[in-house]
Amino acid sequence: MGAALLLSCTALLARTDPPTTETRVARGEEVLRSLNNGQPQPIFEAMRQDFPFLAEATAGYALGEVWGRSQLDVRTRQLAAMAAFASLGMRQQFKVHAAYALNAGVDPAELKEIVYLVTVPAGFPRAIEASQALQELFRERGLANAR
């Protein structure tokens, strides 16, 4: 009986209620603030204004459930996101996540390596598009001569 009680108590203590929509959204918004150095993210704020359902879904699932996971550190997650967005030709998303990567302490030279890497799975046109977005970001951050 003691082992059964211990097992039952352990299962009860380990059980967590599924997060509510509100807690997912709150967690997602916290993830976004942390990625953006505590500042509001202009693209997300515009989406919240004009497309509130989409903003809530993005905050709750993409940010709160996926980006909020702890298995990858912020740096690794941003580098992976950059490679994915560059490969898909999503210039604006690539640039946003490159900015988050810089915020997380990624060196500009490492960001350039992602652009070089993209030539293999996605081709030169996608890599060139990503390089142009990275050049814009470097200029905005005063890193125009980043090597």
Side-chain angles (χ1 to χ4, degrees):
M1 171 137 176
L5 180 59
L6 179 60
L7 185 59
S8 175
C9 288
T10 302
L12 184 60
L13 290 172
R15 188 182 129 240
T16 58
D17 293 325
T20 64
T21 298
E22 292 79 23
T23 58
R24 284 185 191 107
V25 170
R27 182 171 54 210
E29 289 174 347
E30 178 55 36
V31 166
L32 188 58
R33 276 190 301 278
S34 71
L35 291 172
N36 210 41
N37 287 337
Q39 300 299 312
Q41 210 293 331
I43 295 170
F44 183 79
E45 293 306 320
M47 182 171 50
R48 185 194 314 261
Q49 180 78 29
D50 296 330
F51 298 92
F53 174 78
L54 183 58
E56 182 177 293
T58 300
Y61 177 71
L63 295 165
E65 291 292 319
V66 178
W67 288 96
R69 295 172 56 85
S70 61
Q71 285 73 9
L72 294 176
D73 62 20
V74 172
R75 181 181 202 295
T76 304
R77 194 175 302 274
Q78 293 312 316
L79 292 172
M82 286 176 57
F85 289 129
S87 294
L88 292 169
M90 300 178 71
R91 181 182 178 139
Q92 185 61 37
Q93 293 295 331
F94 172 84
K95 184 177 174 184
V96 165
H97 287 273
Y100 294 158
L102 287 172
N103 293 349
V106 176
D107 188 87
E110 293 174 281
L111 302 184
K112 288 182 175 185
E113 286 300 318
I114 297 299
V115 171
Y116 303 146
L117 178 69
V118 166
T119 63
V120 177
F124 281 88
R126 296 280 169 93
I128 290 168
E129 185 75 14
S131 74
Q132 292 168 348
L134 207 49
Q135 287 172 325
E136 290 172 9
L137 178 62
F138 288 169
R139 277 193 300 273
E140 292 167 8
R141 296 276 183 109
L143 301 170
N145 296 321
R147 301 240 180 250

